[in-house]
Amino acid sequence: MKKSVVKKVLVCVNGTAESIHAAMYAILFARQIGAAVKALYIVDTATIKFLLNSRFLAPDEKVLYEKKFNQDGQHYLEYVEGLARTKGIKIETQMREGSVCFEIVEEAEAWGADMIIVGGKKKQTLSKQLSDNPRGTLKAWSTIGNQLMAYASCPVLVVNKEGMEETFKIS
């Protein structure tokens, strides 16, 4: 029997539909290849700190936002745990605080992840983007997926699969 190149999959959730789809994909993928899977939620304290320093947030609001994001993170990780249970998969969960990209890369390295899976969103079809831009150059989108591809030491898979809920139900 062949050994899989991917033994550990780190999936990042943030509560968006795209991140939940990525978690569903990661669970199905891990089940198919026999990999361990870990769900990670990052409380984006770097952005909160920036907003505080820019005076967009008051100091007491900072505490409220951090508390709310911690509660949200716990909720989303529990939800993903439930999804994994429905497919007979044991999933590890973790919450970290800091800069999103940095924390994901750090956790992937610390845990020894062989792949990172994140949710993505189709912005516009390639043909539409090229027809809207007479010079034929592509817009550069600054996304967490792009940042991870630049800094992660393992492959990054961006999931933007339509119909993921249906695929998850029937798999």
Side-chain angles (χ1 to χ4, degrees), residues 8-129:
K8 290 184 170 186
V9 176
L10 180 67
V11 62
C12 307
V13 294
N14 64 6
T16 62
E18 293 82 14
S19 76
I20 298 302
H21 293 163
M24 290 174 174
Y25 190 93
I27 291 164
L28 295 177
F29 181 68
R31 184 177 72 174
Q32 190 173 45
I33 65 169
V37 63
K38 182 178 201 174
L40 179 66
Y41 181 93
I42 309 297
V43 176
D44 190 358
T45 55
T47 298
I48 294 171
K49 188 179 211 179
F50 171 78
L51 293 172
L52 180 66
N53 291 340
S54 300
R55 301 196 191 282
F56 285 105
L57 287 179
D60 57 331
E61 289 177 306
K62 174 188 180 284
V63 174
L64 292 173
Y65 274 98
E66 286 178 351
K67 182 178 179 185
K68 173 78 169 98
F69 291 145
N70 274 291
Q71 290 170 341
D72 288 349
Q74 192 60 44
H75 170 76
Y76 295 126
L77 290 173
E78 288 171 3
Y79 181 73
V80 170
E81 271 184 309
L83 290 173
R85 249 190 325 274
T86 67
K87 298 301 178 189
I89 295 292
K90 186 175 187 299
I91 189 169
E92 190 177 335
T93 62
Q94 184 173 358
M95 194 171 344
R96 291 179 68 136
E97 294 183 354
S99 171
V100 175
C101 182
F102 178 80
E103 293 301 325
I104 294 169
V105 169
E106 285 288 308
E107 184 56 34
E109 290 176 3
W111 189 56
D114 300 304
M115 177 180 281
I116 299 170
I117 298 180
V118 295
K121 190 175 201 176
K122 285 187 178 179
K123 305 286 189 208
Q124 190 178 52
T125 64
L126 181 59
S127 59
K128 173 83 171 127
Q129 191 181 142

